[in-house]
Amino acid sequence: MSGKRREMIGKVVSAKMQKTIVVLVEQTYTHPLYKKTVTRRKKYKAHDELQEAREGDVVLIRETRPLSKEKRWRLVKILKKAELIPTLSEENVEENITNDSIREGDLNDNASN
């Protein structure tokens, strides 16, 4: 072996496990016979010791010794952080509170009739 370890750039699709991320790597190549550009996608499980990667981040991973049954890669660095998109619950917290109070008032008015 030459001592060089392979490195790949991919996007984090899952960061739900402890110290493990799932990275989707896309590779494009030209088909030798049909000369069509083909995209090959593969998911790799990578070790994230500090648990700093999040879904949507673009990361650099490097090949390493087997760390578990399926983990053979390590997170080297985060190249681009994902944009934070507010979730539905965060966006409409105030609207839900006002709607709930209106509904409770309507129920009480109807109950008294």
Side-chain angles (χ1 to χ4, degrees):
M1 291 183 88
S2 63
K4 295 243 180 190
R5 296 187 187 261
R6 293 187 300 166
E7 291 185 343
M8 294 188 190
I9 296 174
K11 185 176 182 178
V12 178
V13 292
S14 174
K16 296 176 182 175
M17 295 173 274
Q18 293 179 3
K19 298 187 179 184
T20 302
I21 56 175
V22 180
V23 180
L24 179 70
V25 176
E26 291 186 349
Q27 297 171 330
T28 58
Y29 66 98
T30 304
H31 192 278
L33 178 61
Y34 300 112
K35 309 300 184 215
K36 180 178 178 180
T37 303
V38 181
T39 302
R40 180 179 290 160
R41 294 178 183 91
K42 188 166 181 186
K43 292 180 184 178
Y44 296 95
K45 290 190 177 148
H47 186 69
D48 181 10
E49 182 66 34
L50 303 176
Q51 298 183 5
E52 56 191 2
R54 299 285 175 249
E55 287 185 28
D57 292 352
V58 178
V59 296
L60 175 68
I61 58 175
R62 180 178 296 142
E63 191 176 30
T64 186
R65 66 182 176 83
L67 300 171
S68 69
K69 180 181 175 183
E70 297 178 344
K71 269 201 293 190
R72 269 88 174 125
W73 298 85
R74 259 184 221 274
L75 174 68
V76 177
K77 64 180 172 178
I78 299 173
L79 301 175
K80 183 180 175 186
K81 284 289 214 181
E83 296 178 12
L84 294 177
I85 300 172
T87 61
L88 180 64
S89 60
E90 293 172 354
E91 287 178 350
N92 300 325
V93 169
E94 293 177 6
E95 292 177 17
N96 289 340
I97 292 172
T98 57
N99 290 341
D100 290 342
S101 61
I102 292 170
R103 287 183 196 139
E104 289 175 7
D106 292 342
L107 292 175
N108 291 338
D109 293 338
N110 292 337
S112 61
N113 290 335

